[in-house]
Amino acid sequence: MTKLFGTDGIRAKAGTAPLDPPTVCRVGAALVRVLPVTGAAPRILIGGDTRESCSWIAAELTRGLTAEGATAVSVGVTPTPGVAYLTRSEGFDAGIVISASHNPYEDNGIKIFSGRGEKLDEAFERRIEAMVADTTWRVDNAAAASLEHRPALRDHYTAHLMKVVSGAGRLAGSRLVVDCANGATTTVAPELFRRLGFNVIVIGDEPNGRNINLNCGSTHLELLQKTVLETSARLGVAFDGDGDRALFVDHRGQAIDGDAVLLLAGIQLQKENRLPGNAIVATVMSNIGLELALKERNIELLRAPVGDKYVMEQMLARGIALGGEQSGHIIFADHLFTGDGIATALQVLRIIDVTGRELDDLAGALVAYPQVLVNVRVRERADYMGIPAIADSIKRVEERVDGQGRLLIRYSGTEPLLRIMIEGRNDGEIRQWANDIAEAVKGALGDEW
């Protein structure tokens, strides 16, 4: 059975397996086949970002969905959390997002949400994979495919966002730079922040199908930093292509990552008695400085594997209100059980308002250890600890960081990369150690292409 799902749905170069037209169509049909039987025709909501491949992927999904008797409704270009919310609030049986998040336009992906607005668990994903692989059935190519377009549903998501804050409060009129990454938030964020009373400067808001995340958005903060400084803005926020993450820039042009947001939000929610169990969930990638700062405030940090769906699963299991990733996926359980970049920005603005403190001051509570992340492109996902040259290099570094930092090595869930992360007291040392491991990996598993 071919594995289709990674850490964040199905993802590949658009047009290549498993994002080739026949497979995409079959995924749509398989989803309907494995959904719980309710007696009525399933209703499936589809949304996506601005990539040029989204239209044909939506058409193929619709062909598979409707061939199995489902009704397909499109909300158009909408942030991933918007589709998650609308799936639940509008009574759909499942929601599908067509996006490759922060990846370049050539890539695309399929994320599926349950009728509860939550990302599918791995057991359900395996059921879809098994159904796709089952050769005893075929999609009826003669079936008529019809996709109903309802972009006005986005207004319901905007109304839900405005429950986070109803206005700018003491920040009314503040200059705010918003980077929409030429992606899904272009349809929601600029108007929303203006309605709330901010003086909004928007960048990355001219999508053309091929410029999503191109030198903009949460993976390229340079333009946002430059614009914040040039316009003397109070702060800036950058979303990724599908709008489920947000990173920030303070008035000095300094980048503020997800760890700092988790800390400042955790401290505030604790003060407001909105942090059940005095615990938050982060991933294995979060800096050890976050763990230490939370411990000082009697807040426990629980670590999950990389991927906001794993953060969500642990939050649900433990009844935890706040979780997220260093990359900017932040989950506020009172809002949604998936990362929402716009909601994260609204929460940060709310905290600035109620505390009377600026972002740089709030984020300063995090004293991060130096962290180095090196990505090595590999030709296969081999057991690297079974390769002596790599294993020896890793063991040498583990002995050096023991008690003074962390070493984490993992394969990317969405790209052919081995990620090497090291934290420690000395930036130069850990950078050299990471490069030593990277060279060993390149020699045994490297793929220059």
Side-chain angles (χ1 to χ4, degrees), residues 104-160:
Y105 88 92
E106 297 95 340
D107 295 344
N108 216 327
I110 297 171
K111 306 180 188 184
I112 305 177
F113 290 87
S114 72
R116 298 184 304 275
E118 300 165 6
K119 287 186 177 178
L120 299 183
D121 60 29
E122 291 190 359
F124 202 100
E125 290 176 346
R126 298 294 88 80
R127 290 174 63 194
I128 294 175
E129 289 174 343
M131 185 60 70
V132 170
D134 185 348
T135 59
T136 64
W137 67 279
R138 294 182 179 179
V139 178
D140 181 4
N141 291 322
S146 176
L147 180 62
E148 180 185 352
H149 294 273
R150 295 184 61 191
L153 286 176
R154 278 196 301 265
D155 294 341
H156 300 183
Y157 168 57
T158 299
H160 181 63

Side-chain angles (χ1 to χ4, degrees), residues 317-372:
R318 299 282 295 269
I320 292 173
L322 176 66
E325 298 186 278
Q326 188 182 62
S327 60
H329 285 117
I330 309 296
I331 301 174
F332 292 90
D334 289 346
H335 174 73
L336 275 178
F337 269 108
T338 191
D340 189 331
I342 299 176
T344 299
L346 294 175
Q347 285 283 6
V348 168
L349 291 165
R350 182 187 74 84
I351 293 168
I352 293 171
D353 180 28
V354 299
T355 62
R357 298 167 63 189
E358 296 301 324
L359 179 56
D360 63 328
D361 183 28
L362 291 165
L366 176 67
V367 180
Y369 271 43
Q371 183 183 83
V372 172

Side-chain angles (χ1 to χ4, degrees), residues 261-421:
V261 173
L262 282 171
L263 180 57
L264 67 89
I267 291 171
Q268 186 61 30
L269 292 181
Q270 184 188 52
K271 290 178 180 177
E272 297 170 352
N273 294 317
R274 295 169 56 198
L275 196 69
N278 272 346
I280 72 172
V281 180
T283 76
V284 292
M285 291 300 292
S286 279
N287 195 280
I288 194 173
L290 171 63
E291 189 170 342
L292 296 174
L294 289 169
K295 186 175 181 180
E296 289 177 3
R297 294 161 174 84
N298 196 32
I299 300 174
E300 182 182 6
L301 178 67
L302 306 172
R303 292 188 184 269
V306 172
D308 65 332
K309 73 176 181 180
Y310 301 117
V311 173
M312 177 203 73
E313 287 172 2
Q314 196 162 147
M315 290 175 67
L316 284 168
R318 299 282 295 269
I320 292 173
L322 176 66
E325 298 186 278
Q326 188 182 62
S327 60
H329 285 117
I330 309 296
I331 301 174
F332 292 90
D334 289 346
H335 174 73
L336 275 178
F337 269 108
T338 191
D340 189 331
I342 299 176
T344 299
L346 294 175
Q347 285 283 6
V348 168
L349 291 165
R350 182 187 74 84
I351 293 168
I352 293 171
D353 180 28
V354 299
T355 62
R357 298 167 63 189
E358 296 301 324
L359 179 56
D360 63 328
D361 183 28
L362 291 165
L366 176 67
V367 180
Y369 271 43
Q371 183 183 83
V372 172
L373 177 63
V374 177
N375 295 319
V376 181
R377 185 168 291 274
V378 295
R379 61 179 177 269
E380 60 176 319
R381 295 169 183 255
D383 175 13
Y384 50 82
M385 290 304 291
I387 300 173
I390 300 176
D392 290 347
S393 179
I394 290 173
K395 289 175 182 176
R396 285 195 298 270
V397 173
E398 285 177 334
E399 291 172 356
R400 292 165 176 165
V401 301
D402 184 34
Q404 303 181 61
R406 292 194 307 140
L407 168 64
L408 176 67
I409 300 177
R410 68 179 185 89
Y411 284 109
S412 167
T414 58
E415 300 173 88
L417 300 173
L418 183 68
R419 304 192 190 280
I420 304 160
M421 189 278 286

